[in-house]
Amino acid sequence: MKYLFLSPKDDNYTFYYSDLLKNKDVLWVNTSLNKKGLIGFLYGIHISKKLNKIINIPFKDIWIQNYKTKKIKDFIKTDKKCIVLVFRHSFFLFYRHSYEKWLKKINPNIKICFLFADIVDSYKKGFDINIAKNKFDALFSFDKEDSQKYGLVYYPHIVPFPANIEIQNVRGGQKYSIYFMGRAKKRLNLLVEIYKKLKQNGIKVLFEIAGAKESERTFFDENFQYIDFITYKEYLRRCSNADCLLEVMQSTSNTGYTTRVLEAISLNKKLISNNQDLINAPFYDKKMLSTFTSENDFNIEFLNKTNTPLHWNYDSYQYSADKLLSFLREYLYKKDK
């Protein structure tokens, strides 16, 4: 069995799945579809959802030539079964193009699936889930509610075990009791109220907010910072220097384990989250995880308690990359048995 993974050129994917890079049966291709300058302008017109609603503009495959290399062709050109897993690239979701046909022409036994990195509703308007279902052999989601709502296959994020080694390279910096970094989205007001309560209780805190519009930036404080960009390595440095990580879900109705949860587990950090579903998780431990519904029931005492040594109890194989490969193999080829 061979596995071809296609992902954006983000260092967090390398962090999470780095152990797969050592597997001779795995080829990982990460490249950016983002274009700049005049090319970017033409790219935007070509893939415009508004224009493509009126007429399906042809030849979109010209933008994904980095995924049609000789290296990829030679890798999947085999008599073995092969699985292609696409991570997050919305281009593959939104538009009909011949890439799937190109893959299956080389290897008729190939199975192609897509892994959502966020909840479905976070994708831009105009997204048709049925188009995606027709394009892929399977669609995977880490969110249980999304899986039920849209008929997706549920599979939790994996825990990045290499973090315990890799994190040694990013240590250093100021210490905090609790740290949050994320996009503002629809949760900015809640983040402000949580920050105020933590500061009032003498908690050393750092909040870094990305993607907030100028008109939304009405609250300012020394450690409540609006940022444009931060590398994943620098983000990990902040996490490693905090006693606890904060997760604020966009919607409290969403279920499943986000990457924030897995970062906390991998780095042996406490976690405070408004995801009530975590109480039912197999790794739940009240010494390591606290949940809240609003800033008014935020457990300050949980932050003040020190538990040494910190340790999450969970079945490491169930959240491993090896288990993911096994699951993909069993699920996608079960009909062929």
Side-chain angles (χ1 to χ4, degrees):
M1 181 73 70
K2 289 193 172 185
Y3 304 86
L4 171 62
F5 287 178
L6 309 178
S7 77
K9 201 170 186 177
D10 292 345
D11 51 1
N12 56 330
Y13 282 95
T14 303
F15 172 78
Y16 272 92
Y17 297 92
S18 59
D19 51 341
L20 289 179
L21 301 178
K22 304 173 184 177
N23 190 322
K24 62 180 179 61
D25 292 322
V26 173
L27 175 62
W28 192 291
V29 180
N30 60 336
T31 186
S32 176
L33 291 176
N34 295 327
K35 313 296 177 183
K36 298 180 180 180
L38 177 60
I39 298 298
F41 175 73
L42 296 174
Y43 171 75
I45 293 177
H46 198 176
I47 68 168
S48 167
K49 285 189 287 297
K50 289 184 178 179
L51 289 177
N52 279 275
K53 277 185 176 180
I54 301 172
I55 180 173
N56 185 23
I57 304 174
F59 309 119
K60 295 188 183 71
D61 279 17
I62 63 174
W63 303 111
I64 55 172
Q65 294 308 303
N66 288 340
Y67 290 114
K68 284 188 174 184
T69 62
K70 183 178 184 301
K71 184 177 182 180
I72 292 177
K73 184 176 181 179
D74 291 343
F75 181 79
I76 65 175
K77 192 176 183 179
T78 173
D79 56 354
K80 294 182 178 180
K81 294 177 180 178
C82 184
I83 293 173
V84 178
L85 183 61
V86 181
F87 290 86
R88 204 186 76 181
H89 267 323
S90 58
F91 182 90
F92 289 93
L93 282 176
F94 283 99
Y95 306 103
R96 292 185 174 95
H97 48 78
S98 61
Y99 187 63
E100 296 82 11
K101 293 180 180 178
W102 180 80
L103 290 170
K104 294 197 174 186
K105 184 177 180 180
I106 298 171
N107 186 339
N109 294 316
I110 210 165
K111 300 288 187 181
I112 308 170
C113 47
F114 186 91
L115 179 65
F116 283 92
D118 208 337
I119 58 175
V120 172
D121 289 346
S122 69
Y123 286 77
K124 296 179 180 179
K125 293 181 179 179
F127 171 57
D128 188 342
I129 192 70
N130 293 317
I131 291 179
K133 287 182 177 180
N134 291 331
K135 290 168 66 66
F136 295 94
D137 292 295
L139 299 174
F140 296 97
S141 172
F142 70 93
D143 188 89
K144 294 178 182 178
E145 184 179 90
D146 264 15
S147 298
Q148 296 176 353
K149 182 178 179 180
Y150 296 104
L152 311 179
V153 181
Y154 171 72
Y155 195 84
H157 288 304
I158 71 171
V159 174
F161 299 107
N164 296 322
I165 299 174
E166 298 293 334
I167 199 63
Q168 300 298 328
N169 298 323
V170 296
R171 291 197 183 281
Q174 194 170 357
K175 305 294 184 181
Y176 296 95
S177 295
I178 187 167
Y179 172 59
F180 172 87
M181 193 285 291
R183 299 188 67 81
K185 298 182 178 178
K186 298 179 180 180
R187 55 192 171 186
L188 184 55
N189 290 337
L190 177 58
L191 289 169
V192 169
E193 294 306 314
I194 292 174
Y195 179 86
K196 288 179 178 178
K197 178 161 186 177
L198 291 170
K199 289 280 287 186
Q200 289 169 0
N201 283 272
I203 304 298
K204 195 171 184 179
V205 57
L206 175 61
F207 279 25
E208 294 183 310
I209 314 299
K213 299 177 182 178
E214 288 295 332
S215 59
E216 296 175 323
R217 301 182 181 189
T218 58
F219 175 79
F220 298 90
D221 199 59
E222 180 183 3
N223 288 331
F224 192 95
Q225 302 171 3
Y226 299 100
I227 62 174
D228 294 322
F229 174 77
I230 184 174
T231 66
Y232 194 65
K233 185 174 182 178
E234 187 59 35
Y235 164 72
L236 289 178
R237 188 194 304 279
R238 306 278 209 283
C239 292
S240 69
N241 290 326
D243 296 325
C244 179
L245 303 183
L246 171 64
E247 174 183 64
V248 180
M249 300 280 281
Q250 298 177 58
S251 170
T252 54
S253 64
N254 294 119
T255 57
Y257 317 141
T258 67
T259 54
R260 190 63 47 85
V261 176
L262 304 180
E263 287 156 357
I265 294 175
S266 183
L267 301 176
N268 272 327
K269 300 296 180 180
K270 289 182 178 181
L271 178 70
I272 295 181
S273 172
N274 63 343
N275 181 0
Q276 302 300 318
D277 189 56
L278 292 177
I279 296 176
N280 303 314
F283 51 76
Y284 174 73
D285 182 342
K286 64 180 181 180
K287 294 180 180 179
M288 300 297 293
L289 173 61
S290 176
T291 61
F292 70 97
T293 56
S294 72
E295 71 277 8
N296 294 321
D297 68 346
F298 212 83
N299 191 345
I300 299 298
E301 185 180 356
F302 175 78
L303 289 172
N304 292 326
K305 287 183 178 179
T306 56
N307 301 294
T308 306
L310 295 173
H311 181 67
W312 288 84
N313 294 312
Y314 67 101
D315 184 344
S316 60
Y317 176 70
Q318 293 300 319
Y319 300 94
S320 69
D322 286 340
K323 176 64 183 299
L324 171 63
L325 296 184
S326 176
F327 177 82
L328 291 173
R329 182 172 61 250
E330 292 296 321
Y331 181 83
L332 291 167
Y333 286 99
K334 62 184 178 182
K335 295 180 180 179
D336 299 341
K337 292 183 178 181

